[in-house]
Amino acid sequence: MTTKNPEYDFAWCPGCGDFGVRRAIEWAVERRMDTLGEVIENTVVVAGIGCSGNMVHLLEGPQPFGIHGIHGRTLPMAFGIKGSRPDLNVLIAAGDGDFLSIGGEHIAPQAQRNLNVTAVIMDNGVYGLTKGQSSPTTALEVITPTTPYGKMEGALNPLDLYLTLGATYVASGISSKPRDLANLIYDAMNHSGFSMVHVQSPCTTYNDTFEALKGNPRKGIQPLAWNVPDDHDTSDKAAAVELVRSYGVPVGLLYQDPDSVALDERYAQIMSKQRTRTAQDLVDSFAFAVQ
Amino acid sequence: MQQDKDFIVRFAGEGGQGMVTAADSLAQSAAQVGYFIQTYSTFPSQIVGGPTWAQIRISNKPVLSSGDQLDALIAFNREAYDTHADAVRDGGVIIYNSEEFELEDDGRSFGMRFDELGKSTGNPRAANMVVLGAIAHLVSWPQQYLNDFVVRRFTRGRPNDEEIIKANIEALGLGRDGAATTSFDLGELPSIEKPDWDQVLVNGNQAIALGAMAAGVDTFVGYPISPATTILVFMEQNLTGEDKFVYQASSEIESINAIAGAGFAGKKAMTSTAGPGLSLMSEGVGMAWMMEIPLVIVDVQRGGPATGLPTKTEQSDFQIALHPAHGDASLPVIAPGTVEECFTAGAVSLNWAERYQGPVILLSEHMLSERSQNIPTPDVAGVVDERRQVYRGDNGYLRYESSTLSPMPVPGGPGSYVANASEHDPMGDTTHRPDRHIHMTERRFSKLALLNDGTYEEELANEPIVIMPWGGSKGPAREAYDELLAQGIQYGWYYTMYLHPLPDALLASLKQKELVIVPELNYLGQFASYLRSLGVRAEAITQYSGLPFGVRDLIVRIPELAASMKQGVVKS
């Protein structure tokens, strides 16, 4: 769980965007502990498969509980943890391949349930750990080992997807600004409901988008990333959709449903009205008297 | 022979004509006066219609199987008559719906106008009661039994209760009078002694759910699938109370990962499914084995492969239950063979999962899920709610250091670690070292030895040839075994619902046998094959029709197999 473990031989490439995301997560969790007085063992980080999935082993300092599960199933595991233990703080760390491709089927149900967890998605637009294949967010016509003649399908717009599926908190971050990202993750954990923090986290080996995101005036490259305008109304979903469909990568909080009621709140409210049935009550309900 | 002690009647027709209601009504009225009853129904996978039948067996002794020699067949249409007439024993009676078709007088059938008679009472749904009245006449069943049943069943606090009760009792009378105009008679039902124990009337799925409740299940997540759906529905309705969580998932993949999450988070967690769902869960089950997370999967088997026969019975998931995942993993499997055992299995499976910190498969089957039976009231107070060893020390704990089971940290408490689906070192971090993979593989398998408290049945243990059925084939096999004994043909009898790990003493005994005959409902002879892999000389008697074994078939096939194997032994 720490870089001090001599046996753990995995390492991110130098300059990997995930380093910034790691710092941001550590800051956000530390701040949460400070402000809420919560022990770190109350947090569970659920990671998927891929470079990003190793996040859970690389967090430094006091350790939360961790899961490094199977490919694409962070949300179902988080659902079971949060459903059965609403007292825990559940944080998902996954990549674009894990979350949007193999795990894509799980976003809609959790968004509709408004599962009270925070998902931090590290998007590098490529399958890095398996050495550079195309992912759902790889752009049209890009050549990769599995798209030797150019990718034949367009890139998914994850922010648009989250808004459409009903996530009640949607933010966009960038790994090179970890302080801002930490604030978004902290706020997301405080949001009561399904909160998505989608992060541009470039792969320096297979898909280095740092320059494209930041821009380079000397080369005449316009930045893809731009800050959400100050006057954007974050409670206006239609305005958020308009932003994410406009151009490039808007960075900042896009949408937060002010009326969000999380699944655990709704569940507790409804079930508190139900009678508790013991096993004995239930067995007795099948009893019949012999006449 | 059979008719001396029990009465078997089958109601067959088109789904929606009330076969199941008729069988249930007869079952309840019989159980209420003290008989042992068992019902079984089968139907096609569609909402309404299709060929459906329901059967009830009434006895003055505990009922072992649904029975395959009918005393009476109630045919609601021609197709039902054509399909089921052969199952009626010599001297049995067929009552058919003469509004649907007519038969020549064959000396064993008579027609009645069920619907017309039913409707004449003013209750359009009283046709079933006409049928029950007719049956009551055939077995000289006191009218009062059925009248009392109708009063209890339809006293529901509704304004028209009285009207419906009156119409139904009238319909019973019309049926009885109609049958009385014929000369058919099935003799009297055997007399009964009132049982001196309390009873419940439940089916296999209900019994599993009750057992799980008794053992303190905390979290249940499932996805609808025949024939397991009723367990999910039961849990949705009844798993209430503080710290409980129940939810319908969006797929079986979500179910397994969700209960793995709950198990990781310290809860007793369970899901239910059938073969197709178990296939989808494969990777998640392997993960739970790897991470050492307690959870239970109930697989109510149906016909396979693929979508297979959703509403028919089969025992063809044994191999996938034992090895549901890729890689080196071998799961504990508990397969109940009776409704009573379903209750025990529901409880023990959860306790086993907690004890060895890993996934357990409860392997039930369609024939148990659809079987209602009156059984002695399960002893809820006697069920142990066994919980995992929880780690309570300081932080810095090495969860996976020991070479066998070790206390499990629970989120919120001390000892944070990573539950890792990749091979891992003592703190849960990913490793590729050969020594670690050896250590962890052996650790995972070593924990199975903690599940050595399985019980088994053993009779005539000195016989060199023995019968050892598993799961729901226990009932028909036992009936065949008793029948053969009565004929002077003697074998040993072995049975356990703890299929993996098998009780040590049982396995030792089986290895001494010349031949272990395993009746099982699959083509491959899956359990027999497993026994052979353990060094037991086992041979299967297979059937793969989607139906339970018939006792009369087993009575022929068991001695046949025994004889052919004996020849083989002599030849070699």
Side-chain angles (χ1 to χ4, degrees):
Chain A
M1 287 272 272
T2 77
T3 48
K4 294 191 186 77
N5 180 0
E7 224 185 278
Y8 181 59
D9 51 8
F10 178 86
W12 286 322
C13 304
C16 177
D18 291 353
F19 285 109
V21 182
R22 183 183 73 182
R23 283 310 292 148
I25 288 177
E26 284 165 357
W27 280 332
V29 173
E30 277 168 26
R31 188 173 155 202
R32 183 183 168 87
M33 288 163 64
D34 289 345
T35 48
L36 296 182
E38 191 180 80
V39 295
I40 189 131
E41 291 80 17
N42 221 46
T43 290
V44 180
V45 178
V46 184
I49 293 292
C51 290
S52 60
N54 286 280
M55 175 72 69
V56 71
H57 305 289
L58 293 168
L59 293 168
E60 294 185 354
Q63 296 295 311
F65 274 76
I67 284 187
H68 191 178
I70 51 178
H71 201 19
R73 313 301 169 204
T74 54
L75 279 174
M77 288 202 86
F79 171 56
I81 296 168
K82 189 68 183 178
S84 65
R85 291 283 306 276
D87 58 308
L88 297 175
N89 174 44
V90 181
L91 185 68
I92 287 162
D96 47 307
D98 186 277
F99 198 76
L100 297 170
S101 184
I102 187 171
E105 73 194 65
H106 302 299
I107 307 170
Q110 305 310 347
Q112 284 304 308
R113 290 168 190 153
N114 206 14
L115 183 70
N116 196 359
V117 302
T118 295
V120 178
I121 305 308
M122 284 151 268
D123 185 352
N124 57 8
V126 76
Y127 282 80
L129 200 57
T130 48
K131 302 195 188 306
Q133 299 80 14
S134 88
S135 93
T137 53
T138 305
L140 186 69
E141 294 182 348
V142 169
I143 291 175
T144 76
T146 49
T147 54
Y149 313 113
K151 195 185 177 203
M152 298 193 199
E153 58 194 70
L156 184 75
N157 183 336
L159 296 169
D160 197 356
L161 180 76
Y162 305 147
L163 289 165
T164 303
L165 294 179
T168 52
Y169 179 103
V170 179
S172 168
I174 186 161
S175 62
S176 53
K177 293 183 174 172
R179 282 283 171 199
D180 294 348
L181 181 56
N183 289 336
L184 290 173
I185 295 171
Y186 177 80
D187 290 346
M189 289 191 294
N190 279 342
H191 170 74
S192 186
F194 189 60
S195 47
M196 294 295 320
V197 181
H198 194 85
V199 189
Q200 297 300 317
S201 180
C203 173
T204 45
T205 303
Y206 294 110
N207 189 25
D208 193 343
T209 52
F210 272 117
E211 194 174 58
L213 287 164
K214 288 179 87 168
N216 189 336
R218 274 180 293 177
K219 293 186 192 167
I221 298 172
Q222 292 296 314
L224 274 176
W226 50 284
N227 289 331
V228 171
D230 289 343
D231 62 352
H232 169 62
D233 178 0
T234 56
S235 68
D236 184 344
K237 191 166 176 175
V241 170
E242 202 171 312
L243 283 183
V244 304
R245 289 183 182 175
S246 60
Y247 167 78
V249 182
V251 175
L253 176 61
L254 292 155
Y255 176 65
Q256 181 167 20
D257 181 354
D259 304 317
S260 172
V261 179
L263 176 64
D264 47 341
E265 294 172 64
R266 199 183 296 275
Y267 194 92
Q269 197 187 357
I270 290 172
M271 297 309 272
S272 69
K273 294 176 196 148
Q274 309 307 317
R275 194 168 52 87
T276 299
R277 300 173 183 89
T278 65
Q280 191 65 58
D281 291 342
L282 290 166
V283 167
D284 291 344
S285 73
F286 290 95
F288 65 90
V290 175
Q291 304 302 310
Chain B
M1 183 94 206
Q2 276 179 11
Q3 59 269 26
D4 291 345
K5 61 182 193 299
D6 52 7
F7 174 61
I8 304 172
V9 56
R10 184 178 294 176
F11 303 82
E14 179 85 2
Q17 287 179 310
M19 270 70 60
V20 178
T21 315
D24 281 352
S25 301
L26 185 57
Q28 286 180 31
S29 59
Q32 276 168 348
V33 291
Y35 286 101
F36 294 94
I37 61 99
Q38 188 183 107
T39 65
Y40 179 66
S41 58
T42 177
F43 39 83
S45 188
Q46 59 196 48
I47 294 174
V48 286
T52 297
W53 56 268
Q55 183 165 315
I56 168 175
R57 184 169 187 176
I58 302 172
S59 177
N60 58 348
K61 298 194 173 67
V63 180
L64 297 172
S65 78
S66 53
D68 53 359
Q69 300 221 59
L70 306 182
D71 295 291
L73 168 68
I74 316 301
F76 282 70
N77 59 30
R78 176 84 212 196
E79 190 191 345
Y81 175 83
D82 291 343
T83 308
H84 299 284
D86 282 351
V88 178
R89 69 165 170 84
D90 290 345
V93 175
I94 299 170
I95 311 177
Y96 61 90
N97 185 358
S98 52
E99 282 161 72
E100 290 269 346
F101 65 105
E102 275 297 343
L103 290 173
E104 299 282 309
D105 183 12
D106 59 1
R108 64 173 190 163
S109 310
F110 69 94
M112 286 184 79
R113 303 182 73 82
F114 303 157
D115 290 322
E116 198 178 294
L117 289 170
K119 279 176 189 155
S120 74
T121 67
N123 177 5
R125 302 171 69 173
N128 288 330
M129 293 297 148
V130 174
V131 174
L132 293 186
I135 294 170
H137 168 77
L138 293 179
V139 293
S140 310
W141 183 261
Q143 179 74 22
Q144 200 54 41
Y145 288 180
L146 284 167
N147 289 359
D148 288 350
F149 164 74
V150 164
V151 171
R152 276 191 299 272
R153 168 84 176 249
F154 295 99
T155 303
R156 296 177 290 193
R158 296 182 193 164
N160 60 349
D161 279 358
E162 221 167 288
E163 216 173 298
I164 289 177
I165 289 168
K166 188 168 161 286
N168 280 333
I169 288 179
E170 191 185 334
L172 286 170
L174 290 173
R176 183 180 281 271
D177 295 347
T181 62
T182 73
S183 56
F184 291 106
D185 180 7
L186 286 168
E188 281 190 32
L189 271 179
S191 63
I192 36 163
E193 279 172 35
K194 225 164 142 178
D196 56 356
W197 58 84
D198 295 330
Q199 299 187 62
V200 292
L201 181 61
V202 290
N203 65 37
N205 278 2
Q206 288 163 337
I208 288 169
L210 290 170
M213 289 285 200
V217 64
D218 296 308
T219 295
F220 190 98
V221 179
Y223 186 77
I225 184 169
S226 299
T229 308
T230 52
I231 300 178
L232 170 63
V233 171
F234 182 97
M235 290 295 182
E236 286 281 2
Q237 289 172 346
N238 297 310
L239 188 58
T240 57
E242 212 177 333
D243 297 331
K244 304 289 185 187
F245 182 66
V246 57
Y247 218 88
Q248 176 182 333
S250 63
S251 70
E252 286 89 349
I253 293 177
E254 191 177 78
S255 299
I256 183 69
N257 284 282
I259 62 164
F264 168 80
K267 298 297 185 178
K268 257 184 163 170
M270 184 182 245
T271 186
S272 60
T273 189
L278 185 58
S279 294
L280 281 175
M281 291 180 184
S282 175
E283 193 185 14
V285 187
M287 177 186 73
W289 168 267
M290 192 72 167
M291 293 177 167
E292 305 184 31
I293 295 178
L295 57 85
V296 173
I297 300 157
V298 180
D299 173 14
V300 187
Q301 299 167 93
R302 60 194 221 183
T307 310
L309 301 165
T311 54
K312 301 288 175 188
T313 207
E314 204 162 271
Q315 301 179 291
S316 52
D317 289 355
F318 173 71
Q319 289 290 5
I320 192 183
L322 189 62
H323 301 294
H326 64 270
D328 270 331
S330 175
L331 260 63
V333 179
I334 302 177
T338 64
V339 171
E340 280 171 275
E341 288 174 8
C342 282
F343 177 86
T344 307
V348 174
S349 58
L350 282 162
N351 288 341
W352 269 21
E354 291 286 314
R355 189 190 309 160
Y356 102 111
Q357 295 175 17
V360 173
I361 307 260
L362 193 172
L363 198 57
S364 184
E365 51 209 274
H366 175 269
M367 80 171 101
L368 292 171
S369 73
E370 293 292 335
R371 174 192 296 177
S372 284
Q373 205 172 334
N374 53 342
I375 59 171
T377 302
D379 176 18
V380 174
V383 173
V384 179
D385 178 356
E386 195 173 334
R387 299 274 164 169
R388 71 193 70 177
Q389 285 182 45
V390 173
Y391 177 73
R392 301 185 197 282
D394 299 323
N395 278 329
Y397 176 56
L398 297 177
R399 156 89 171 111
Y400 300 105
E401 188 180 38
S402 135
S403 60
T404 187
L405 187 88
S406 52
M408 186 169 173
V410 171
S416 53
Y417 71 104
V418 179
N420 196 341
S422 307
E423 190 56 285
H424 37 270
D425 68 11
M427 62 176 68
D429 284 343
T430 307
T431 182
H432 301 90
R433 275 171 42 174
D435 59 326
R436 287 292 179 213
H437 190 44
I438 293 167
H439 168 87
M440 290 305 298
T441 301
E442 290 174 358
R443 169 184 159 110
R444 289 185 285 267
F445 278 98
S446 76
K447 297 186 300 168
L448 291 171
L450 299 166
L451 311 178
N452 58 359
D453 57 342
T455 53
Y456 63 97
E457 298 172 11
E458 177 181 51
E459 289 171 41
L460 300 181
N462 292 326
E463 288 295 328
I465 298 179
V466 305
I467 300 174
M468 184 176 177
W470 66 276
S473 293
K474 180 187 185 183
R478 181 67 208 197
E479 225 175 296
Y481 177 82
D482 289 343
E483 178 68 30
L484 287 167
L485 270 186
Q487 292 175 16
I489 306 173
Q490 193 159 303
Y491 303 107
W493 168 265
Y494 284 84
Y495 171 81
T496 185
M497 66 169 160
Y498 303 97
L499 302 189
H500 182 244
L502 280 174
D504 292 338
L506 168 61
L507 183 57
S509 293
L510 291 176
K511 283 181 176 174
Q512 307 301 316
K513 303 301 170 193
E514 272 176 33
L515 175 64
V516 176
I517 296 174
V518 181
E520 55 183 322
L521 297 175
N522 59 64
Y523 175 84
L524 291 167
Q526 296 184 10
F527 187 67
S529 164
Y530 162 69
L531 286 179
R532 284 196 298 274
S533 78
L534 298 174
V536 175
R537 285 179 287 273
E539 288 293 333
I541 290 176
T542 64
Q543 178 179 302
Y544 32 94
S545 56
L547 299 171
F549 276 114
V551 174
R552 57 183 163 174
D553 290 336
L554 289 178
I555 287 172
V556 176
R557 293 181 69 185
I558 290 169
E560 262 176 16
L561 179 63
S564 71
M565 293 309 289
K566 265 191 173 160
Q567 282 167 2
V569 169
V570 171
K571 271 180 204 160
S572 67

